[in-house]
């Protein structure tokens, strides 16, 4: 496990309310996938010791960070091609930046298939600045 935080899970309802609907409290973890490449990560959500969601961390997630709500929003395409939008709102604002940093590093390693430490300092700074919040 790379990082773990408590959060509220929300699913976008595009049929009824056309907004994010609260699901339940979860433990959100960034984990390294077992087997295959050492640079594959997943976002794993747990509720009462049961896994409720497992999404690969990759560039197709179209993730967005929001400091105002301490949240991460992303899209997921399942095996049948159905796209869903999700949000986790972190319960503790102190965990927001460390979790965002861990997620961003995992995303970069997945994309480049090499350790984050191999990236030059200016590239690391650019990647982190590109993940800045989009609150208006």
């Amino acid at each position: 496990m790379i990082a773990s935080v408590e959060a509220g899970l929300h699913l976008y309802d595009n049929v009824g309310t056309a907004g994010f609907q609260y699901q339940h409290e979860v433990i959100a973890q960034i984990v390294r996938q077992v087997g295959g490449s050492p640079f594959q990560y997943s976002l794993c959500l747990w509720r009462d010791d049961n896994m409720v969601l497992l999404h690969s961390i990759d560039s197709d997630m179209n993730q967005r960070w929001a400091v105002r709500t301490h949240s991460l929003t992303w899209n997921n395409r399942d095996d049948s091609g159905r796209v869903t939008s999700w949000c986790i709102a972190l319960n503790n604002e102190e965990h927001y930046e460390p979790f965002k940093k861990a997620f961003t590093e995992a995303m970069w390693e997945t994309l480049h298939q090499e350790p984050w430490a191999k990236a030059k300092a200016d590239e690391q700074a650019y990647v982190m600045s590109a993940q800045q919040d989009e609150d208006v």
Side-chain angles (χ1 to χ4, degrees):
M1 180 199 36
I2 309 300
S4 181
V5 295
E6 294 177 359
L9 175 63
H10 304 261
L11 172 62
Y12 190 80
D13 175 12
N14 60 358
V15 176
T17 61
F20 280 99
Q21 299 300 308
Y22 176 78
Q23 303 297 301
H24 42 256
E25 291 298 305
V26 295
I27 300 296
Q29 296 179 333
I30 298 169
V31 298
R32 188 180 313 269
Q33 293 180 2
V34 178
S37 167
F39 304 110
Q40 297 294 108
Y41 298 89
S42 293
L43 180 61
C44 184
L45 304 184
W46 297 85
R47 179 178 184 213
D48 300 328
D49 295 327
N50 295 310
M51 186 186 320
V52 294
L53 186 142
L54 179 67
H55 291 168
S56 293
I57 295 177
D58 60 39
S59 58
D60 291 336
M61 293 179 93
N62 194 27
Q63 76 280 0
R64 179 182 183 277
W65 294 93
V67 71
R68 184 174 49 84
T69 56
H70 312 298
S71 64
L72 166 64
T73 305
W74 74 96
N75 297 321
N76 183 68
R77 182 180 309 274
D78 66 17
D79 293 337
S80 69
R82 182 174 159 249
V83 177
T84 51
S85 295
W86 299 87
C87 175
I88 52 172
L90 280 58
N91 294 349
N92 186 329
E93 67 182 89
E94 294 174 7
H95 296 153
Y96 176 76
E97 286 297 330
F99 191 78
K100 182 170 84 168
K101 182 179 186 299
F103 183 94
T104 302
E105 290 176 10
M107 175 77 74
W108 189 92
E109 287 188 3
T110 297
L111 182 63
H112 295 279
Q113 293 295 294
E114 63 182 24
W116 172 254
K118 283 196 169 188
K120 295 179 183 175
D122 60 334
E123 182 177 1
Q124 288 182 358
Y126 173 77
V127 169
M128 288 300 174
S129 69
Q131 292 299 315
Q132 290 303 310
D133 307 319
E134 297 180 16
D135 287 346
V136 197

